[in-house]
Amino acid sequence: MSLDNANPIVYQRSGARQISAADEDDTVIDEIDDREVYDLIRSINDPEHPLTLEELNVVEHANVHVDNKKNQVAISFTPTIPHCSMATLIGLSIRVKLLRSLPARFKVDVQISPGTHASEEAVNKQLADKERVAAALENSHLLKVVNECLSNHEN
Amino acid sequence: MPRLEEVTTLEGHIEPVWCVSWSPFGSLLATCSGDKTIRIWGKEGEKWICKTVLTDGHTRTVRYVTWSPCGQYLASASFDATVVIWSRKEGEFESIATLEGHENEVKAVTWSSSGSLIATCSRDKSVWIWEVTEDEEFECASVMTSHSQDVKHVIWHPYKEILASCSYDDTIKLYKEDNDDWTCFQTLASHDSTVWKICFDQSGSRLASCSDDKTVKIWQEYLPGNEEGIVTHGSDSVWKCVCTLSGYHERAVYDINWNHVTGHLVTACGDDSIRVFGEDADSNKNEPKFSLMTMINHAHSQDVNSVSWNPKIPNLLASCSDDNLVKLWRYVE
């Protein structure tokens, strides 16, 4: 199979999060914030390349918005090219990662960064349809591909 | 002020619960889930308990369950592309038929008021009509491919042989039998995104729909020769959107149910809340007005997937959620 984007630009990975004294203090209630959610998704593997979504600039810290009080997480991701056929799979991997990691109270919205994909509206609609997402995750082949994107063989 | 009081919480499903369905006489509640099972709940003394678990019908999520008008049969629709018909004539539920033919996930199944027709719909974009023969056989009578996307729901008119369906293609379609075949005679377009559910009022002359666009719409039927002067074609009536309830729901509205006794509408929303709407006293059919009577914020801890009024106890409501729970509520005026 030919690659959608054979020579993607590779970006720098961000460093580990600075651990403050308050982070180690168990008496402080830590609210889930943008950086914490970004940390959950930045090491997701690209379906085509041996690179992470962060290294391909598909996900960025600035495109993660968490409202801990309203239980909302909104993420936009940027496909490497406007006709990327993997866009739905990447979005699904982000959804599944957060579904498994975040408390169930969170509503997660995953969308393509506006103007960065030819089928942006169709992909967004599919990712927002929880019934179709649930059906997709019962497909063992697809689930295997998603799990490969989520497997952590780098760190 | 009207309010909803929680009656009880029914625990048992171990995955999200997709649908709640009352038996026609209101004594049993069927629920289905991502755990591939169907549970039948009923009252024992003052307590609601799980009477039966049907485990061997489906190999994937059971998306929808519904009873035949006589209450003797239950139909379940599954992501495994089949519909199973269960009979409870001998007291226990026994599967008597599996309806196969859809290419992928079946999203809903519904019985006509006479009990002689069944309709099913699927992600394969089609709506199927099945005839029920006297010896409990089910034969496909028609396959309709009017929708351009995933069909989310089908529902029969409360007494006519008119079928309605709604879809991921944002539209609602109406079908009737015409010269031994079934045809779509009207497409209702107004929603801006997926139409998740539709339901008729008691008279069958109004339809309510709910959508991913966070709105609820009310559609009015206009018969040929109507006094409002709405243009119709041949013997078909025309349906028009006469009311849009917007600004109430914060996320997708997954279900809507019209109380055939009180006229109240209840909605299930992705913002975890249940809302009850009532029609205003000075409302007229061409421009009806509905007000929010009450709502329960965080009725469940996750998305509410389905809500249903009990057909015999009009203030009793059932709901279910992604939080794996089923709840019963009492609507108090």
Side-chain angles (χ1 to χ4, degrees), chain B residues 70-231:
Chain B
C70 65
Q72 292 301 314
Y73 301 96
L74 186 70
S76 54
S78 167
F79 286 180
D80 70 11
T82 71
V83 167
V84 170
I85 310 291
W86 308 80
S87 166
R88 65 180 190 108
K89 277 190 188 151
E90 311 296 323
E92 300 227 327
F93 286 85
E94 186 196 357
S95 81
I96 56 163
T98 301
L99 311 188
E100 290 174 335
H102 281 295
E103 280 171 37
N104 37 43
E105 297 97 85
V106 188
K107 301 291 178 75
V109 51
T110 171
W111 250 283
S112 68
S113 59
S114 67
S116 62
L117 295 168
I118 290 175
T120 58
C121 65
S122 162
R123 193 165 73 89
D124 68 13
K125 307 172 188 173
S126 69
V127 171
W128 291 44
I129 292 179
W130 309 75
E131 277 170 13
V132 185
T133 67
E134 283 184 11
D135 44 356
E136 297 183 339
E137 301 268 324
F138 302 85
E139 288 165 6
C140 176
S142 187
V143 175
M144 291 169 295
T145 52
S146 315
H147 281 296
S148 60
Q149 291 286 345
D150 186 359
V151 189
K152 298 298 194 186
H153 196 57
V154 275
I155 189 83
W156 287 97
H157 187 279
Y159 58 90
K160 289 183 196 165
E161 288 194 342
I162 299 279
L163 182 72
S165 66
C166 59
S167 164
Y168 188 88
D169 71 11
D170 309 350
T171 70
I172 300 161
K173 288 179 185 279
L174 296 166
Y175 313 82
K176 59 165 186 176
E177 196 174 14
D178 194 10
N179 285 329
D180 261 1
D181 201 8
W182 286 81
T183 54
C184 170
F185 70 89
Q186 200 182 349
T187 299
L188 312 184
S190 179
H191 279 296
D192 293 326
S193 189
T194 301
V195 187
W196 280 104
K197 283 284 167 61
I198 39 178
C199 62
F200 284 98
D201 76 346
Q202 191 205 10
S203 73
S205 62
R206 287 201 289 189
L207 190 71
S209 57
C210 63
S211 163
D212 205 60
D213 70 12
K214 305 173 190 169
T215 72
V216 163
K217 289 180 187 278
I218 311 292
W219 307 77
Q220 172 68 42
E221 177 183 33
Y222 292 95
L223 297 162
N226 63 81
E227 61 187 27
E228 289 82 8
I230 306 288
V231 178

Side-chain angles (χ1 to χ4, degrees), chain A residues 107 125 129-131 138, chain B residues 61 63 170 272 303 305:
Chain A
K107 308 285 180 189
K125 190 170 186 180
D129 185 323
K130 67 168 188 170
E131 184 186 61
E138 287 184 4
Chain B
T61 287
R63 175 65 181 88
D170 309 350
D272 308 348
D303 294 5
N305 290 326

